Amino acid sequence: MEEVSEWILMNYGLYYKEVVFNRQAMNIVRRAISGDLKWVKGEIHNNLKSNRSSEIAWLGDKDLLTMLLRMQKKINRDAGWNLKIDGVEPVQFGIYGEGDFYDWHVDQHPRPVRGKVRKISMSLFLNDDFSGGDFDLEIYKPGADPRYKTFKSKPGTAIFFQGDQWHRVRPVTSGLRKSLVAWFYGPPYS
C-alpha cells in the first residue's frame, strides 16, 4: 500500500456564513422570545467535568421556524454547501450569566436521530452589553495557532456553519450574553 505523504483538504464551500438579520427578521425574533418561556439549566457533563453552563428555553414559534428555514435555503446555496435540508429543530434561546460557558463541541450527533442528521447550525447574537462570552469556530488546519476564528458580533448578526465543526462559547466575565441557536437537519449522507 502506498503511503500518503500529504493530506489534501477537500473544502466544499465556505467555512461559515455571517448574516445580518433585517428589521423584519429581528421583529419575528423579538416576538418569539417575548412570550412566557419555560427556563431550564443548560448543562452537559462528561465523566470528568461540566462542559456547559447556561439557562435555556425552547422556542417552537412557527413564524420564527419558517423564517429560519427560508434563510437557510439561501445561505446553504450561497455558502456552496448545497446540503439536503428537510427541517429545523425547535430553536434554543440561551442566556449566559457571569461564569457561564459552553466548551468545545460539535452539534452533529454521532449517528442519525430519528433518521435525520444535523447539517447546518446557526448562532444569532442578540446583545453585546457583556464581557467575555466570545464565540469561537474552529476553521484552520491542525498546525495553525489558533485553529479557530473568534466572533464577538453585533446584535442581529448570525453565524451559519456546518454542524460537524467544533465551536465553543467562552466564559462570560460580566453581564448577560443572549443568543438563539438553531439546527437544520436532513437525511443521512450517502
Side-chain angles (χ1 to χ4, degrees), residues 110-131:
R111 287 179 206 71
V113 175
R114 291 183 293 286
K116 300 295 180 182
V117 174
R118 285 180 174 175
K119 294 185 175 180
I120 299 174
S121 298
M122 178 211 75
S123 187
L124 170 64
F125 303 94
L126 296 177
N127 67 320
D128 60 3
D129 55 344
F130 60 92
S131 297

Side-chain angles (χ1 to χ4, degrees), residues 27-29 31-33 58-68 88 90-91:
N27 285 339
I28 291 171
V29 168
R31 277 195 305 273
I33 66 175
W58 296 99
L59 308 175
D61 182 88
K62 186 179 177 194
D63 292 336
L64 176 64
L65 297 175
T66 300
M67 174 193 70
L68 291 174
V88 60
V91 174

Side-chain angles (χ1 to χ4, degrees), residues 96 125-132 152-155 172-178:
Y96 293 76
F125 303 94
L126 296 177
N127 67 320
D128 60 3
D129 55 344
F130 60 92
S131 297
K152 176 106 182 207
S153 298
K154 293 181 179 177
V172 171
T173 55
S174 69
L176 292 175
R177 178 191 191 273
K178 299 175 184 178

